[in-house]
Amino acid sequence: MTERRPLTILFADVSGSTRLFETRGDEVARRIVANVLLALAEVSARHGGRVVKTIGDEIMCTFPGPLNGLLAATDMHRRIKGDPEFQRDNLAIRIGLHHGEALVENGDVFGDAVNTAARMADKSLARRDQIVATASTVNGVTNTTGLRVRPLGSAWVLGKQAPIEIVDVMWQEDLAHVTTVQRVMTPIEATPSDRPRLTLRFKSQVFEVDEATPFSIGRDPASSLVVETEWVSRNHALIEWKRGYFMLADRSTNGSWLKIGDDDELFVHRDETHLRRSGSISLGQAHQIDVADLIWFQCGGE
């Protein structure tokens, strides 16, 4: 039987699983990841959710409405953070969710709403310990739990003609720096001091990147940062302010590798992703033991 109905769709991805398989071995790591997914499924059920499927280290759930999904997402993070076994292995999750019309068929769920929710959980948008949702999902949601969100700008979703507004759902207990709002889930407006500032460090050089001027990287002597190694293209990458983020756009032959905090390494090739928090960029090859050619970055105001 096939039917269309509005659903809140949630994707949760285990962050740190790649390192877990390297350090603990396949059998032990698989058991731990399975336990994480089981814990997430239990939380989902408590909030009226249904597990549609698990794919590797990712779980997909549906909920009857946005509030169910948002409360489940916050409790999922708290469940993982409160488990000593998961924390011993430095595991965390990233969550994306969206509410919209979905096609339900034979227990599975399809359609634009699914694609949008999956995009919210993508590594290029959501980092570990974060919940990213479409703004339309949280608009008008009322509750007495004091949930807060802050705007993250806009993001492109495959198949859509225009970018969509997205938000960060704040779930941590320590919210002293965040304005408390009761009953209505209200966006927290960014102040001038919250505006992103990007600092790049390469060997002995330090660069401050602003919102007005694109920053080019490559072997070309005209680049803002010249990196003279054989695996770096002449015009390898560009960093510029777009859609509310500093975006790294790879234009190279060999690609770029991005590592944010303890997250798994992300490969970017002829595509773009936004820079968050702090981390490193490796041009033309994956991160190596020799860190001499890494570009270190720090995003301020986040």
Side-chain angles (χ1 to χ4, degrees), residues 7-47:
L7 288 172
T8 298
I9 300 161
L10 178 152
F11 283 88
D13 183 76
V14 181
S15 176
S17 60
T18 299
R19 182 177 299 177
L20 182 69
F21 277 88
E22 292 174 353
T23 58
R24 301 293 298 274
D26 292 347
E27 290 77 10
V28 173
R30 186 70 192 95
R31 175 183 59 78
I32 295 173
V33 170
N35 287 341
V36 173
L37 298 181
L38 178 61
L40 299 181
E42 292 171 350
V43 173
S44 172
R46 290 203 302 269
H47 290 278

Side-chain angles (χ1 to χ4, degrees), residues 4-296:
R4 275 197 167 276
R5 63 171 182 261
L7 288 172
T8 298
I9 300 161
L10 178 152
F11 283 88
D13 183 76
V14 181
S15 176
S17 60
T18 299
R19 182 177 299 177
L20 182 69
F21 277 88
E22 292 174 353
T23 58
R24 301 293 298 274
D26 292 347
E27 290 77 10
V28 173
R30 186 70 192 95
R31 175 183 59 78
I32 295 173
V33 170
N35 287 341
V36 173
L37 298 181
L38 178 61
L40 299 181
E42 292 171 350
V43 173
S44 172
R46 290 203 302 269
H47 290 278
R50 179 178 74 88
V51 175
V52 177
K53 65 180 76 172
T54 59
I55 310 166
D57 57 3
E58 182 179 64
I59 190 170
M60 173 186 173
C61 309
T62 61
F63 298 86
L67 184 57
N68 304 75
L70 290 163
L71 293 178
T74 61
D75 282 352
M76 284 177 177
H77 276 296
R78 294 187 180 114
R79 172 68 177 85
I80 301 307
K81 285 298 182 186
D83 191 299
E85 180 186 19
F86 301 153
Q87 291 311 295
R88 180 188 62 197
D89 291 300
N90 195 32
L91 295 178
I93 54 174
R94 61 174 63 87
I95 295 177
L97 68 162
H98 172 66
H99 182 81
E101 286 280 329
L103 184 67
V104 181
E105 181 178 311
N106 297 325
D108 208 343
V109 185
F110 306 92
D112 177 69
V114 176
N115 296 335
T116 302
R119 176 74 172 109
M120 297 302 102
D122 189 87
K123 290 180 182 179
S124 64
L125 288 185
R127 61 178 184 262
R128 61 186 280 135
D129 295 329
Q130 189 175 31
I131 302 168
V132 174
T134 54
S136 62
T137 298
V138 304
N139 287 342
V141 173
T142 59
N143 61 88
T144 57
T145 61
L147 285 172
R148 291 88 167 167
V149 302
R150 64 178 178 181
L152 291 176
S154 57
W156 290 91
V157 176
L158 185 65
K160 291 191 176 295
Q161 297 299 314
I164 58 176
E165 296 299 312
I166 63 175
V167 299
D168 181 8
V169 181
M170 315 293 285
W171 63 271
Q172 293 91 340
E173 297 295 341
D174 181 12
L175 296 173
H177 64 291
V178 176
T179 303
T180 300
V181 180
Q182 296 296 331
R183 298 201 63 82
V184 180
M185 186 175 291
T186 306
I188 300 161
E189 296 298 333
T191 63
S193 62
D194 292 328
R195 294 175 65 182
R197 302 175 302 279
L198 181 65
T199 303
L200 298 175
R201 294 181 174 83
F202 178 70
K203 298 183 178 179
S204 62
Q205 303 176 74
V206 179
F207 304 87
E208 295 291 336
V209 182
D210 60 31
E211 302 172 33
T213 307
F215 188 90
S216 57
I217 306 171
R219 292 199 336 267
D220 192 320
S223 299
S224 307
L225 169 59
V226 179
V227 181
E228 296 179 343
T229 55
E230 60 184 15
W231 49 83
V232 174
S233 298
R234 285 184 59 82
N235 298 291
H236 196 101
L238 184 72
I239 297 174
E240 59 183 329
W241 179 256
K242 294 171 60 178
R243 305 194 293 273
Y245 303 105
F246 282 109
M247 304 291 294
L248 171 70
D250 179 85
R251 300 174 169 180
S252 70
T253 301
N254 297 324
S256 303
W257 278 258
L258 174 67
K259 189 165 179 58
I260 301 175
D262 293 327
D263 287 3
D264 296 335
E265 194 172 24
L266 175 66
F267 178 58
V268 185
H269 188 220
R270 303 296 175 89
D271 199 356
E272 62 181 19
T273 186
H274 73 265
L275 302 176
R276 290 183 176 275
R277 298 184 297 165
S278 61
S280 56
I281 303 166
S282 182
L283 305 178
Q285 60 179 1
H287 284 69
Q288 304 293 321
I289 296 176
D290 181 3
V291 298
D293 290 320
L294 292 183
I295 301 169
W296 299 91

